[in-house]
Amino acid sequence: MFKKLVAFGTAATMMMAMGVTTFAAEGDSTTLVTKLYKNDKFDASAPDSNLSMGNAAVENTTYVEQADGTYEVTINLKESFKAYGMTGYLTNVQIDANGDGQYDATEYKLTYNESGKAVVGVTFNSPTVPTEATKYDASFKTNVSIMPASEGDFIIFPTVVTE
């Protein structure tokens, strides 16, 4: 009888543990490392080459799986960053969230700092989970102190944070 009770207790514990893992997946946030590259200049053999000056503005990217199986992706940006010893920030951010080659402002939401100048976040829905080397084409201006604003297309490559 004792063996049957222990077997039942072990089986119940295992089933509860599996249930916790299943329910924990939805709604949990996953953090990714993101870098900005000059348009089509990412080189897998030299991943730190051809980084955009605006790369210093990127903090991280997070995604959360939603109940419908899509993912809410947020690219977090710093209010300001240093480049060439000067302070800068990002403006006019656009992103091709669904990969159709169009920057459609209805596909994403921008968050601005208190002054309304710098973009500090970009949020959009993705049908697939972002993984290492997922890319999103983007366009934005980098405003750095006395330097003229530069603009161009950049590619965002999230890489999963490993600890």
Side-chain angles (χ1 to χ4, degrees), residues 3-85:
K3 287 181 181 178
K4 288 180 182 178
L5 285 174
V6 170
F8 176 77
T10 303
T13 302
M14 286 176 41
M15 289 191 56
M16 286 187 285
M18 289 181 350
V20 168
T21 303
T22 301
F23 292 115
E26 184 181 317
D28 283 353
S29 178
T30 301
T31 303
L32 309 170
V33 172
T34 302
K35 294 184 178 182
L36 299 182
Y37 293 88
K38 297 174 187 171
N39 190 33
D40 295 324
K41 300 289 185 187
F42 175 71
D43 180 356
S45 64
D48 287 332
S49 66
N50 297 315
L51 289 174
S52 161
M53 177 171 49
N55 182 58
V58 182
E59 287 196 295
N60 57 42
T61 297
T62 57
Y63 71 85
V64 177
E65 183 174 4
Q66 301 178 101
D68 64 359
T70 62
Y71 300 88
E72 182 179 80
V73 180
T74 301
I75 300 169
N76 299 295
L77 304 167
K78 296 176 186 174
E79 184 172 352
S80 64
F81 64 92
K82 296 286 186 189
Y84 306 111

Side-chain angles (χ1 to χ4, degrees), residues 92-105:
N92 295 19
V93 175
Q94 298 178 328
I95 191 161
D96 180 10
N98 65 6
D100 67 357
Q102 302 293 317
Y103 298 129
D104 183 355

